[in-house]
Amino acid sequence: MIESREEMTEGYEKALKQILTVSGDTELMSAPAYYEPSMNAPDLSTRTSCISVIQDELGHGHIAYRLLEDLGEDKQSLIYDRDPHEFRNTYGFDQKLENFAELVTAHALWDRAGIVLLSDIHENTSYGPWKRALTKVSKEEQFHLRHGETWVRRLANKSESTRQKVQRAVDWMFPIAIEWFGLPDDKKQHDEQLEYRIKGMTNDELRQEWMSTAVPLLEEVGLDCPAHYDADADEYVLEYDLPVAFDEQAKQWRYDDPISWSDVMDRWRSRGPAIEEYVDMLQSGTVNVGT
């Protein structure tokens, strides 16, 4: 186990900073993404639960930034001095969540992706301070997941109208979660985070882990998703070839428009349509929520 900066090689420190930055930025940027639809929760108790999720996410971001401080980074600068395109959060939180159905679907799918990633790190990481900090994070993320699963089941079974709202959310959020885990293993030229045992599972293994619980949930409530379990291969398989183009304005995947992984990485680097608004909310402390 590595306990301090003094014990690290230059390569180890660089790889650790990279994954901590992505983790901190993703946790931080989920807060403004979740805020507006939380204000439109169906009742006060549910709104309280949604705000608790946001509070947790801000705390999780603080943990990552605090660990980065130990590695010589400045937390204030990380949050307040970077331009929107400099943040390294996962692409999903650059999108505008339009309603409560999209919010709880994000809890059920995207928080699940966060759990898969952080659980792997919690179990396998060689960096002791992060391993200990993730004990608290893992428990709180389980609450977010249960909240999302509960509401996805409720909305899917309440009425055809609410069911269709959840289905539309799944249609654009599921493939984003598939991309969440990064390049396929056969496309990666090197993986320092594995070599230094900062994490334990490959991208494709993490994707399988996520699908092994996400797909059964959606099948249980009768929602469609572009993946299924292949008994012969003993794995979950996608019903489309990665990667494909995404129309971020319409929130639609163009499955008949294949692209390269370089195109995907260009999209990630360019950030999504809501990133400037969300960064401004965080850096200015100003919230403008419609009724």
Side-chain angles (χ1 to χ4, degrees), residues 12-287:
Y12 185 102
E13 182 178 343
K14 181 180 178 180
L16 180 61
K17 282 183 177 181
Q18 181 183 46
I19 193 170
L20 277 170
T21 301
V22 172
S23 178
D25 289 357
T26 298
E27 302 280 13
L28 180 67
M29 212 55 63
S30 69
Y34 285 168
Y35 184 78
E36 187 168 347
S38 293
M39 293 297 97
N40 294 314
D43 55 59
L44 184 58
S45 63
T46 304
R47 181 185 294 186
T48 301
S49 295
C50 293
I51 295 301
S52 294
V53 170
I54 294 173
Q55 183 180 27
D56 288 345
E57 302 290 19
L58 290 171
H60 301 167
H62 172 77
I63 287 171
Y65 295 138
R66 178 64 185 82
L67 292 172
L68 282 164
E69 276 193 316
D70 292 341
L71 302 175
E73 301 296 322
D74 180 64
K75 182 172 62 180
Q76 288 293 110
S77 295
L78 285 169
I79 298 171
Y80 293 106
D81 295 344
R82 284 187 292 168
D83 293 329
H85 72 276
E86 295 179 287
F87 282 81
R88 293 293 177 260
N89 54 286
T90 51
Y91 182 71
F93 291 124
D94 290 351
Q95 315 304 312
K96 189 81 169 178
L97 301 186
E98 305 291 348
N99 52 51
F100 181 71
E102 289 192 341
L103 172 66
V104 296
T105 304
H107 289 167
L109 297 183
W110 294 352
D111 282 80
R112 184 187 306 274
I115 288 172
V116 168
L117 286 164
L118 293 178
S119 294
D120 172 57
I121 293 168
H122 187 203
E123 180 178 352
N124 295 296
T125 188
S126 57
Y127 186 48
W130 201 9
K131 186 180 187 74
R132 292 188 290 273
L134 286 176
T135 300
K136 174 180 185 292
V137 173
S138 296
K139 292 178 180 178
E140 291 172 345
E141 289 289 353
Q142 288 293 334
F143 160 67
H144 308 172
L145 178 59
R146 289 196 303 272
H147 182 265
E149 287 184 342
T150 297
W151 273 102
V152 163
R153 289 188 177 99
R154 287 179 182 175
L155 295 179
N157 291 291
K158 181 179 180 182
S159 68
E160 185 59 28
S161 174
T162 58
R163 181 185 188 81
Q164 286 303 315
K165 284 184 178 181
V166 178
Q167 182 63 68
R168 285 193 293 272
V170 170
D171 288 345
W172 72 269
M173 288 182 172
F174 187 97
I176 282 184
I178 290 295
E179 284 188 353
W180 200 288
F181 301 98
L183 294 174
D185 293 348
D186 62 0
K187 301 295 183 182
K188 290 185 71 67
Q189 297 180 354
H190 49 79
D191 197 333
E192 291 86 354
Q193 294 166 5
L194 276 175
E195 292 169 8
Y196 289 119
R197 204 165 53 80
I198 295 171
K199 67 176 188 176
M201 298 172 69
T202 70
N203 291 356
D204 286 345
E205 289 170 341
L206 291 165
R207 238 185 302 271
Q208 279 293 314
E209 183 72 14
W210 180 82
M211 284 195 288
S212 72
T213 56
V215 174
L217 169 68
L218 298 175
E219 290 177 342
E220 171 198 330
V221 295
L223 295 169
D224 296 328
C225 70
H228 65 274
Y229 178 69
D230 186 325
D232 292 334
D234 189 25
E235 64 180 14
Y236 285 85
V237 297
L238 295 174
E239 295 167 359
Y240 62 96
D241 293 326
L242 281 172
V244 294
F246 180 59
D247 182 340
E248 60 186 19
Q249 299 302 322
K251 289 183 179 176
Q252 292 180 344
W253 293 88
R254 301 200 300 265
Y255 293 107
D256 57 350
D257 185 6
I259 58 175
S260 70
W261 278 103
S262 292
D263 295 327
V264 174
M265 296 181 73
D266 286 342
R267 167 161 52 83
W268 291 347
R269 282 190 288 262
S270 298
R271 312 309 316 174
I275 185 65
E276 292 190 9
E277 175 187 345
Y278 290 164
V279 170
D280 180 66
M281 285 175 63
L282 289 163
Q283 293 180 341
S284 69
T286 302
V287 179

